[in-house]
Amino acid sequence: MGKLKVRVSLPRNDHRTGRKEIFEEATRFYAKEIMGSRLANLLTIKVHIRNSNCQKRGANVGGYVGMDPTGSKRQRTFRIVLNGKHDLATNMELLSHEMIHVKQKAKDEAQWRYNFKTDTLMVRWKNNPPVRHDEIPYRERPWEVEAYSLQKRYFQAYLEMLSKQKAVKEKLKEKGLDLYE
């Protein structure tokens, strides 16, 4: 069995200390929380924080996952792009949303197919008949409904995990057992 591979790239000239590690840790947490360790350990996830890429897709785009139109063939390598103009908390919540899409594709719940005859991108959601992805309004697409309904829950779980880590660190430090120095 493999191990979850995560790589993060920040915008040029973003040298804020620890930012890359925060995104790596959050990606690992979301992967294991949303998909479980068994599936997560089969994946390679690249997270790119960019200041301009998302605007090319629309004014309100916070992020996206690069999905290959592989049909029923499961995808194991993913590229997530987040809008670097958002603050850290917003990007952490957006990351949870995009990681839900990663789960949907990795578990074959969402199948993207390109129809060369009609030159259209088709989506099959949980074994329903395929539809053109642009026939359904964005907020009514079932994969988006699921992602929006779960993103806050996973973001809150991440924040709780961070607060527990901080509490443990503080208790160890009080007892003179600071393992993190």
Side-chain angles (χ1 to χ4, degrees), residues 115-150:
N115 186 330
F116 289 98
K117 288 181 184 176
T118 60
D119 194 34
T120 55
L121 186 62
M122 307 293 285
V123 181
R124 174 179 291 212
W125 174 250
K126 294 190 176 180
N127 295 322
N128 288 312
V131 295
R132 286 181 40 179
H133 87 286
D134 56 358
E135 285 180 356
I136 307 169
Y138 176 77
R139 286 291 192 145
E140 294 175 23
R141 295 173 183 168
W143 52 93
E144 292 296 345
V145 170
E146 180 182 72
Y148 278 109
S149 70
L150 295 174

Side-chain angles (χ1 to χ4, degrees), residues 10-65:
L10 299 173
R12 289 185 185 102
N13 300 321
D14 187 347
H15 304 292
R16 289 175 273 184
T17 307
R19 198 161 156 84
K20 190 173 183 178
E21 291 77 16
I22 290 169
F23 279 101
E24 285 176 3
E25 180 184 28
T27 303
R28 289 180 191 287
F29 173 82
Y30 289 137
K32 296 205 170 154
E33 193 75 14
I34 294 168
M35 295 173 256
S37 296
R38 191 171 177 185
L39 177 56
N41 284 334
L42 299 173
L43 304 179
T44 299
I45 302 171
K46 298 173 185 171
V47 180
H48 300 275
I49 294 85
R50 296 290 177 258
N51 289 328
S52 60
N53 260 14
C54 291
Q55 280 78 23
K56 292 175 186 174
R57 290 181 173 240
N60 298 321
V61 174
Y64 60 90
V65 179

Side-chain angles (χ1 to χ4, degrees), residues 74-90:
R74 290 193 176 110
Q75 188 172 336
R76 294 293 184 240
T77 301
F78 295 90
R79 180 176 179 256
I80 298 173
V81 179
L82 297 175
N83 190 336
K85 297 191 186 220
H86 291 301
D87 60 64
L88 185 60
T90 302

